[in-house]
């Protein structure tokens, strides 16, 4: 579909940005950098704004969501903003009783574990995305030529919260459902696919210049289970977004053996975690896919010399790929010193 005439990719404001061009496979003179979880707890100005406001309430207040999205842009000179929200926001908008418990993550009051539970789920009406559209309008008015990235959770990662009721490493209820009631599993993931696609689509139409699908926990599945129980649903999400003229980044952790399949569901750019060097990821993917990543978040706490050497190594290995957007190999740890991030961005931009 054609984007609205005020969209920054239609007016041309973000079309020539380093981020948009690198995602399309161009090697830019200066590399673009943004950081997963750049908007959030590592920033004192974020913690101040969030005082007394629950996480999901802050996501649904356009003034707050816009301000938090813009904070890292003002502070670090990164090349893209990521929309401040959470992967569970579309679940909440669809009526699921979900909260984010500080220090824990999403918690769901009544997990979806039976056919009867599943039947209580309602579809997400795009008209219910008002707070998201309003926030994004405020954001792109201030961003100018800096692109905004929209995002959502992939069906598997989202369903792992919906079914387990909260964060879980072993995913016992999900694994039992895959084995014993694959029809219910598939129905639940098909629903999450529709809801998350509606959420991402709303962000792109409202003004995002690229999108990222987070399947953070996909690496907990082996390749065979990923193919059987997760990939078909992620493919449906990507297919529902394919008509939008933006790059589609796909990211998960511990995903070396899944990279080819995660690309194959319809991504155009692969996010690489900190475990797989970029030259190796490039080889695995056949040398044709723009990459994003993959500074090890653990290096944010090391002496500057070691961080600098690591960043230079990431930049060097990234040269093998058709396009490279620098990022961490997972989110910014909350305890990170924001000044280290600012300095690291300057290093990637060749300013130090
Ligand atoms: O800066 C950004 O990247 C934009 C905003 C963003 C958040 N969550 C805000 C947030 C994004 C892109 C996400 C994605 C997200 N949320 C993922 C995928 C990425 C990843 O980290 O793997 C997942 C799995 C979630 C679910 C979720 N939400 C978790 C696991 C947590 C952490 C719980 C904790 O406190 O450690 C959250 C909460 C959350 N989402 C916070 C933020 C800023 C922290 C809330 C706070 O300030 O207390």
């Amino acid at each position: 579909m054609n984007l609205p005439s005020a969209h920054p990719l239609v007016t041309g404001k973000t079309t020539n940005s380093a981020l948009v061009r690198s995602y399309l496979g161009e090697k830019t003179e200066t590399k673009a950098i943004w950081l997963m979880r750049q908007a959030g707890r590592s920033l004192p100005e974020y913690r101040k704004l969030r005082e007394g406001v629950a996480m999901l309430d802050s996501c649904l207040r356009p003034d707050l969501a816009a301000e938090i999205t813009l904070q890292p842009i003002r502070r670090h000179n990164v090349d893209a903003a990521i929309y401040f929200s959470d992967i569970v926001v579309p679940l909440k908008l669809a009526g699921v009783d979900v909260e984010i418990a500080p220090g824990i993550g999403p918690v769901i009051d009544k997990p979806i574990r039976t056919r009867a539970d599943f039947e209580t789920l309602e579809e997400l009406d795009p008209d219910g995305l008002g707070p998201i559209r309003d926030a994004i309008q405020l954001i792109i008015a201030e961003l100018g030529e800096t692109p905004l990235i929209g995002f959502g959770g992939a069906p598997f990662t989202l369903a792992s919260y919906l079914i387990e009721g909260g964060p879980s490493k072993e995913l016992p209820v999900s694994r039992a459902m895959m084995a014993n009631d694959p029809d219910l599993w598939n129905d639940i993931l098909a629903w999450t696919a529709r809801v998350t696609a509606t959420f991402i689509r709303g962000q792109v139409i409202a003004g995002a210049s690229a999108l990222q699908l987070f399947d953070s926990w996909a690496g907990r599945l082996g390749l065979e289970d990923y193919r059987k129980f997760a990939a078909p649903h992620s493919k449906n999400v990507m297919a529902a977004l394919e008509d939008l003229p933006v790059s589609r980044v796909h990211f998960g952790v511990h995903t070396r053996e899944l990279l080819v399949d995660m690309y194959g569901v319809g991504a155009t750019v692969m996010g690489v975690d900190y475990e797989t060097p970029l030259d190796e990821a490039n080889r695995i993917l056949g040398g044709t896919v723009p990459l994003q990543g993959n500074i090890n978040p653990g290096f944010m706490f090391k002496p500057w010399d070691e961080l600098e050497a690591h960043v230079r190594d990431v930049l060097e290995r990234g040269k093998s790929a058709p396009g490279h957007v620098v990022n961490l190999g997972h989110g910014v740890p909350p305890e990170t010193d924001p000044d280290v991030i600012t300095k690291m961005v300057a290093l990637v931009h060749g300013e130090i």
Side-chain angles (χ1 to χ4, degrees):
M1 96 169 228
N2 291 330
L3 294 171
S5 57
H7 192 286
L9 282 173
V10 178
T11 61
K13 277 196 173 147
T14 57
T15 310
N16 295 315
S17 62
L19 183 99
V20 166
R21 285 163 51 214
S22 305
Y23 278 166
L24 291 172
E26 252 186 71
K27 288 190 198 280
T28 55
E29 205 168 311
T30 305
K31 283 195 180 168
I33 173 171
W34 69 278
L35 308 172
M36 294 185 275
R37 293 286 175 91
Q38 66 188 17
R41 286 178 302 175
S42 65
L43 298 184
E45 58 269 36
Y46 166 77
R47 289 195 294 267
K48 189 147 181 287
L49 264 188
R50 278 284 320 282
E51 269 169 26
V53 188
M55 172 64 193
L56 292 179
D57 292 342
S58 69
C59 294
L60 293 171
R61 270 188 49 188
D63 57 333
L64 278 184
E67 180 58 25
I68 296 170
T69 301
L70 293 164
Q71 283 176 342
I73 306 300
R74 299 192 189 114
R75 195 189 251 267
H76 302 308
N77 195 26
V78 278
D79 296 277
I82 174 117
Y83 174 52
F84 178 78
S85 191
D86 195 84
I87 57 169
V88 298
V89 164
L91 305 186
K92 188 174 171 88
L93 290 175
V96 173
D97 203 351
V98 54
E99 284 305 328
I100 291 186
I104 297 174
V107 178
I108 285 162
D109 194 35
K110 295 192 195 76
I112 304 299
R113 294 181 172 174
T114 64
R115 176 64 53 186
D117 297 337
F118 168 70
E119 275 160 10
T120 65
L121 295 173
E122 289 176 33
E123 295 301 321
L124 174 58
D125 183 346
D127 288 345
L129 299 176
I132 286 150
R133 275 194 294 271
D134 293 349
I136 290 181
Q137 229 161 44
L138 294 172
I139 294 164
I140 61 168
E142 192 158 328
L143 277 178
E145 294 177 0
T146 304
L148 174 71
I149 300 168
F151 76 94
F156 173 73
T157 290
L158 270 178
S160 75
Y161 288 107
L162 201 59
I163 294 169
E164 302 293 337
S168 159
K169 277 219 150 55
E170 303 298 330
L171 307 171
V173 190
S174 311
R175 289 184 198 279
M177 194 187 292
M178 288 179 227
N180 302 328
D181 196 347
D183 287 346
L184 178 59
W185 171 267
N186 283 322
D187 285 345
I188 294 173
L189 269 80
W191 179 84
T192 58
R194 291 193 295 276
V195 162
T196 207
T198 299
F199 177 57
I200 301 172
R201 203 176 168 83
Q203 295 169 56
V204 173
I205 293 170
S209 294
L211 66 88
Q212 178 159 328
L213 190 64
F214 283 93
D215 208 351
S216 301
W217 311 142
R220 291 179 184 169
L221 290 174
L223 182 56
E224 213 176 304
D225 282 345
Y226 178 75
R227 284 184 176 159
K228 203 160 154 194
F229 295 111
H233 301 287
S234 300
K235 194 171 180 176
N236 286 337
V237 176
M238 292 298 199
L241 302 168
E242 219 165 36
D243 64 318
L244 299 168
V246 298
S247 292
R248 300 183 294 275
V249 188
H250 201 184
F251 169 79
V253 190
H254 307 310
T255 48
R256 184 191 313 233
E257 70 163 347
L258 305 183
L259 280 177
V260 170
D261 286 75
M262 286 180 72
Y263 176 62
V265 302
T268 65
V269 177
M270 281 310 295
V272 182
D273 68 24
Y274 52 88
E275 295 172 342
T276 311
L278 291 178
D279 48 344
E280 190 184 330
N282 183 56
R283 222 171 21 249
I284 292 171
L285 287 160
T288 58
V289 184
L291 300 180
Q292 174 171 282
N294 70 346
I295 297 165
N296 187 333
F299 273 74
M300 302 309 290
F301 307 105
K302 300 216 179 194
W304 172 255
D305 289 359
E306 282 180 51
L307 174 59
E308 176 174 354
H310 174 56
V311 170
R312 290 194 191 281
D313 183 56
V314 168
L315 290 171
E316 199 51 43
R317 291 175 192 272
K319 283 184 185 159
S320 61
H324 177 206
V325 168
V326 182
N327 206 310
L328 299 188
H330 198 181
V332 175
E335 309 79 14
T336 307
D337 175 353
D339 291 341
V340 173
I341 299 178
T342 308
K343 197 169 168 189
M344 187 176 79
V345 172
L347 173 66
V348 169
H349 286 159
E351 290 157 2
I352 50 175

